[in-house]
């Protein structure tokens, strides 16, 4: 029985080390949201101003992200079906948008899932020739 009790602390140490390694690995895989947003804005597909209007479609809230990655969530910032946003850049499965509302002090800028947006034919600039 002495051997059984002696191995319990060793098992606890091994589990602790394994958990520490996993925690450190998770930190190193963290997304730099600001850097990703800058990169996506630069390398993404530009949306012309005369075609920037988008209407939110689908069910539920459309969550805003500070960068085109699900780990960059902007908690409590969302729009709902039927609301209008202005698109600026598309990158992977996200679109950079600005939401304007008379109820807010300032516009809300961020990234949303592209598949929840539908072009509405309204632009923020005259058609480019």
């Amino acid at each position: 029985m002495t051997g059984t009790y002696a191995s319990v602390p060793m098992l606890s140490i091994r589990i602790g080390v394994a958990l520490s390694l996993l925690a450190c690995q998770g930190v190193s895989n963290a997304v730099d949201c600001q850097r990703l947003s800058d990169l996506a804005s630069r390398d993404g597909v530009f949306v012309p101003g005369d075609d920037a209007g988008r209407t939110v479609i689908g069910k539920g809230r459309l969550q805003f992200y500070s960068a085109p990655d699900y780990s960059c969530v902007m908690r409590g910032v969302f729009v709902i079906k039927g609301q209008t946003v202005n698109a600026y850049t598309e990158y992977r499965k996200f679109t950079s948008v600005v939401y304007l509302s008379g109820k807010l002090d300032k516009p809300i800028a961020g990234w949303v899932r592209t598949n929840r947006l539908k072009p509405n034919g309204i632009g923020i600039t005259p058609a480019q020739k």
Side-chain angles (χ1 to χ4, degrees), residues 92-105:
R92 297 185 181 164
K93 296 180 180 183
F94 288 85
T95 301
S96 170
V97 300
V98 171
Y99 174 68
L100 304 168
S101 170
K103 297 178 183 179
L104 302 173
D105 293 338

Side-chain angles (χ1 to χ4, degrees), residues 33-113:
C33 296
Q34 183 60 53
R35 185 173 175 190
L36 176 57
S37 181
D38 293 345
L39 172 104
S41 294
R42 184 190 72 219
D43 294 347
V45 177
F46 174 75
V47 177
D50 61 333
D51 188 35
R54 300 286 189 271
T55 301
V56 176
I57 60 172
K59 294 182 180 182
R61 298 172 173 176
L62 177 57
Q63 180 66 53
F64 269 68
Y65 300 87
S66 61
D69 188 282
Y70 292 114
S71 67
C72 299
V73 66
M74 296 169 67
R75 302 224 183 272
V77 182
F78 58 87
V79 289
I80 57 174
K81 180 180 178 178
Q83 291 183 316
T84 301
V85 296
N86 295 315
Y88 290 92
T89 307
E90 294 176 349
Y91 184 80
R92 297 185 181 164
K93 296 180 180 183
F94 288 85
T95 301
S96 170
V97 300
V98 171
Y99 174 68
L100 304 168
S101 170
K103 297 178 183 179
L104 302 173
D105 293 338
K106 59 183 179 178
I108 302 295
W111 295 85
V112 297
R113 293 182 5 235

Side-chain angles (χ1 to χ4, degrees), residues 1-63:
M1 292 212 176
T2 306
T4 303
Y5 290 113
S7 65
V8 171
M10 185 56 96
L11 179 61
S12 296
I13 291 170
R14 287 181 185 160
I15 290 172
V17 169
L19 290 174
S20 296
L21 289 173
L22 286 173
C24 289
Q25 186 178 21
V27 170
S28 67
N29 290 336
V31 174
D32 182 339
C33 296
Q34 183 60 53
R35 185 173 175 190
L36 176 57
S37 181
D38 293 345
L39 172 104
S41 294
R42 184 190 72 219
D43 294 347
V45 177
F46 174 75
V47 177
D50 61 333
D51 188 35
R54 300 286 189 271
T55 301
V56 176
I57 60 172
K59 294 182 180 182
R61 298 172 173 176
L62 177 57
Q63 180 66 53

